[in-house]
Amino acid sequence: MRFASLGSGSRGNGSVVASQTTIVLVDCGFSYKEAVLRLKRLGLGPDDLSAIVVTHEHSDHVGGVEALSNKHSIPVYASRGTWIEVGEESYSNPIYINDLFSIGDIEVSPITVPHDAREPLQFVFSCNGIRLGILSDLGSVSHRVIEGFQDLDAISIEFNHDVELLNQGPYPAFLKSRVGGDFGHLNNEQACALLQRIVSDRLKTVVACHISETNNDSTRVQEGLDRVLENQNIQRLVATQSDGFNWIEIGTS
Ligand SMILES: [Zn+2]
Ligand SMILES: [Zn+2]
């Protein structure tokens, strides 16, 4: 299995998870034109996509899903709550919390997260025993999250903001409370504490994602990753809004 990102942050998200035969796009918060350009950077076109899996209805995750899906007849999977919020009356592929489902040879395990959306989910993708976690947009860490994201070979995990930078930053008070609240976004310390709970001998890759361009900086994120992962043999990367990150191979399938 391998994965990559079209871009990550509050102005648009999109991750790609691929096996030998199946390619899944997780969220698309970019316009159609932008998404096509960003897919091309990864050597892909929209017609290569087997499905789009949506985490929740916020525009940085769904903004480009409808256009991409309609123009290329790509099936979309989302929770019933997300379908309702995007105004779809027929839930074409509803995802039920804790119900595994498959797209081609990739098995998808949905996990509910504390975030201010109607029925937000994050996912673990498995193929031939390799497990990849995609985890962003959560304001706090629940037991379900800790349980669900164990035994991974790789994870993309939210490092949204630095508490100090958020507090000193330009956001209005209501937005600071929303972002920093239990249903907002993970700060660097929360992300580090969560990583400590899920790190294992098999974990080989950690990508920090959904980093705020206003309330964080990559040096602080990198320092956090290095502090938690120390000298373990774990690849660590920081995803950006403009470039996401390029393909990362995990396992052999
Ligand atoms: Zn988001
Ligand atoms: Zn969100």
Side-chain angles (χ1 to χ4, degrees):
M1 204 154 56
R2 59 187 187 142
F3 73 122
S5 163
L6 306 187
S8 179
S10 59
R11 290 188 291 114
N13 295 276
S15 310
V16 189
V17 179
S19 69
Q20 301 279 10
T21 57
T22 305
I23 301 175
V24 176
L25 178 62
V26 185
D27 292 334
C28 184
F30 302 102
S31 70
Y32 176 74
K33 204 175 143 191
E34 188 67 33
V36 171
L37 283 172
R38 286 169 184 253
L39 282 168
K40 200 173 170 191
R41 256 181 355 208
L42 298 171
L44 299 174
D47 290 321
D48 296 322
L49 300 176
S50 317
I52 304 172
V53 176
V54 177
T55 59
H56 64 298
E57 67 271 22
H58 291 160
S59 60
D60 56 321
H61 299 265
V62 296
V65 170
E66 195 178 358
L68 205 55
S69 158
N70 286 348
K71 282 187 212 279
H72 298 273
S73 307
I74 306 165
V76 178
Y77 293 74
S79 69
R80 286 167 300 163
T82 301
W83 279 121
I84 291 166
E85 289 300 314
V86 297
E88 286 282 337
E89 279 164 25
S90 56
Y91 317 141
S92 54
N93 294 297
I95 302 173
Y96 296 96
I97 289 168
N98 298 331
D99 269 9
L100 299 177
F101 63 100
S102 291
I103 299 167
D105 62 353
I106 297 179
E107 188 178 66
V108 189
S109 168
I111 295 147
T112 183
V113 291
H115 189 55
D116 52 5
R118 185 145 177 169
E119 197 181 344
L121 299 172
Q122 296 292 323
F123 302 100
V124 171
F125 297 88
S126 321
C127 183
N128 293 342
I130 302 296
R131 280 166 54 81
L132 161 69
I134 302 268
L135 176 60
S136 76
D137 295 71
L138 68 166
S140 44
V141 175
S142 62
H143 287 295
R144 279 174 191 267
V145 167
I146 293 169
E147 277 168 24
F149 287 85
Q150 295 293 330
D151 300 320
L152 300 174
D153 297 277
I155 186 169
S156 170
I157 178 174
E158 170 166 65
F159 273 70
N160 178 259
H161 60 277
D162 179 272
V163 171
E164 194 183 27
L165 295 180
L166 177 69
N167 288 337
Q168 291 167 359
Y171 278 16
F174 82 90
L175 199 50
K176 286 182 182 178
S177 342
R178 193 235 136 195
V179 168
D182 283 349
F183 293 86
H185 292 276
L186 281 194
N187 65 48
N188 295 342
E189 277 102 276
Q190 288 173 302
C192 286
L194 173 55
L195 261 183
Q196 232 145 17
R197 302 288 300 270
I198 60 175
V199 73
S200 66
D201 288 343
R202 69 185 280 185
L203 187 68
K204 291 286 172 278
T205 303
V206 174
V207 183
C209 69
H210 215 299
I211 291 157
S212 169
E213 293 177 300
T214 310
N215 305 309
N216 212 347
D217 70 59
S218 55
T219 312
R220 290 188 189 216
V221 173
Q222 195 72 54
E223 280 167 7
L225 287 172
D226 290 341
R227 197 173 61 243
V228 178
L229 305 175
E230 296 178 304
N231 51 6
Q232 296 179 76
N233 184 23
I234 298 175
Q235 178 187 19
R236 47 207 88 162
L237 288 113
V238 179
T240 63
Q241 181 72 77
S242 56
D243 298 319
F245 55 88
N246 206 346
W247 289 111
I248 297 171
E249 261 330 305
I250 34 172
T252 49
S253 59

